[in-house]
Amino acid sequence: MEHHIGQGRKREGASIAVFIGVSFALAWALTLPLWFGDGLREPFARVLVTAMMFAPTVAALIVVFFIEKPKHKARALGLVPLKPAGRLIGYLAIALILPVLLCILALVVASLLGLYPADFIHFSGYQQITEMQLAEAGIAELPVPIGVLVAVQFVNVLIGALFINIIPALGEEIGWRGWLLPKLLRFGPWPAILLSGVIWGLWHTPVILLGHNYPGTPGWLALIAMVVFSTIMGGIFGWLRLRGGSVWPAALAHSTLNAAATLFIVFVAEDGRFDPLHANITGWSGWIIPATLLVLLVTLGKFTPFAPKPAPVTTESSEHG
């Protein structure tokens, strides 16, 4: 018995090693043209960075179909179950709302700490930026009140979360939270969160060193920041994946975060400048609230897979059993 357990652990360890190796190798291979070119300023940079987001799913598919070969492959990837439907819908709703709240609260905290010049009432910076863009297009003034444009930005976040970012986000989440996180849970909640977060953060190395998320920040410091950010937000995504029963809530949360992280442009003050290392959801001040939430979730025992209650055994079913 112990021999079989040991063999299973070795096979699982090999699967994780292959998954990590393929994910990292594909990420570097896809972004290598940017390193030999003009970095993130290359016209095709967005295409390559988006393609990179599918590397974890490719790695997970290789492991599941060619190494592990489980009977229920969709379950191994976190694609199912999709029931109970009410629970799934509830966690999808959380996944759509929570990242937006965390992004806005991150700006509030940064503003209170003097790290983000905010205008939450008149949106003066957003109006200034919009007027400059319209002037370049030959339009003299705003066609509608600034409040309407702010509302449009929130609609854009919703559209981006549901229709634009969701597929690339799923490309990452099938690998990181769909397949990898459940494998690491045997070490306990915190080790699983830390290990998956560090791996996810380091996987971003080829684009972080090119200035993604933290432009102007020394590469080593930007990478540390990305690892911490990935660990905290990856923990939140992991909670949604485990309690929601499948990878879909985590994918939607990831998609929503990518869309909502740009809301800083809406609330910035006129002529306002800030450092993304210190402010916004990517900065250390933006980690305070999600980190507190994550600690609370783990402390309350919520970082565990959802286990549906078994159906009650009726007299009729027991007679036929």
Side-chain angles (χ1 to χ4, degrees):
M1 183 67 177
E2 291 181 358
H3 173 73
H4 289 300
I5 294 175
Q7 288 294 104
R9 292 286 168 83
K10 286 182 180 179
R11 192 180 303 112
E12 196 169 81
S15 297
I16 292 174
V18 170
F19 169 79
I20 294 172
V22 172
S23 297
F24 277 60
L26 283 176
W28 277 99
L30 287 167
T31 56
L32 205 56
L34 303 181
W35 281 80
F36 288 105
D38 202 18
L40 297 177
R41 291 183 293 274
E42 287 284 356
F44 51 85
R46 182 180 292 273
V47 174
L48 292 180
V49 173
T50 301
M52 172 183 162
M53 295 178 71
F54 292 92
T57 287
V58 173
L61 289 172
I62 289 173
V63 170
V64 167
F65 279 87
F66 298 103
I67 299 178
E68 294 184 332
K69 301 178 182 178
K71 181 178 179 181
H72 301 291
K73 294 178 176 59
R75 185 179 292 271
L77 294 167
L79 297 173
V80 295
L82 301 179
K83 56 183 182 180
R87 185 181 186 87
L88 176 61
I89 291 171
Y91 276 93
L92 287 172
I94 294 172
L96 191 60
I97 296 170
L98 182 60
V100 177
L101 290 177
L102 291 177
C103 286
I104 293 174
L105 290 173
L107 298 176
V108 172
V109 171
S111 176
L112 293 173
L113 294 174
L115 302 170
Y116 173 75
D119 184 354
F120 295 109
I121 305 299
H122 302 293
F123 315 107
S124 57
Y126 180 48
Q127 180 167 343
Q128 180 186 36
I129 294 168
T130 305
E131 287 176 343
M132 289 173 60
Q133 293 173 338
L134 291 175
E136 292 177 358
I139 301 173
E141 59 183 21
L142 294 179
V144 294
I146 190 63
V148 174
L149 295 179
V150 170
V152 169
Q153 283 300 312
F154 277 90
V155 172
N156 287 340
V157 168
L158 183 65
I159 294 172
L162 293 174
F163 304 107
I164 299 175
N165 300 330
I166 186 64
I167 299 301
L170 186 63
E172 286 198 44
E173 291 305 316
I174 288 176
W176 303 129
R177 257 64 63 176
W179 184 85
L180 180 62
L181 180 64
K183 295 287 184 183
L184 299 175
L185 272 181
R186 64 186 175 91
F187 298 112
W190 283 119
I193 292 169
L194 294 173
L195 284 171
S196 60
V198 170
I199 293 168
W200 186 33
L202 291 176
W203 173 81
H204 288 89
T205 298
V207 290
I208 293 299
L209 294 182
L210 288 174
H212 181 66
N213 279 356
Y214 302 99
T217 301
W220 65 271
L221 184 56
L223 195 56
I224 291 174
M226 191 63 197
V227 167
V228 178
F229 170 68
S230 297
T231 300
I232 294 170
M233 294 310 302
I236 299 294
F237 296 165
W239 164 70
L240 289 167
R241 184 265 186 267
L242 295 174
R243 302 306 294 168
S246 66
V247 75
W248 298 102
L252 182 56
H254 191 158
S255 178
T256 305
L257 179 70
N258 287 352
T262 60
L263 285 175
F264 68 84
I265 198 172
V266 173
F267 299 108
V268 72
E270 188 173 0
D271 295 321
R273 299 287 185 273
F274 72 94
D275 188 339
L277 181 66
H278 301 297
N280 200 15
I281 194 69
T282 56
W284 64 264
S285 64
W287 306 336
I288 295 173
I289 291 179
T292 302
L293 174 61
L294 182 58
V295 169
L296 187 62
L297 290 170
V298 176
T299 303
L300 294 176
K302 300 298 183 182
F303 203 86
T304 55
F306 166 67
K309 295 180 180 179
V313 179
T314 63
T315 304
E316 182 180 350
S317 63
S318 62
E319 288 177 353
H320 287 82

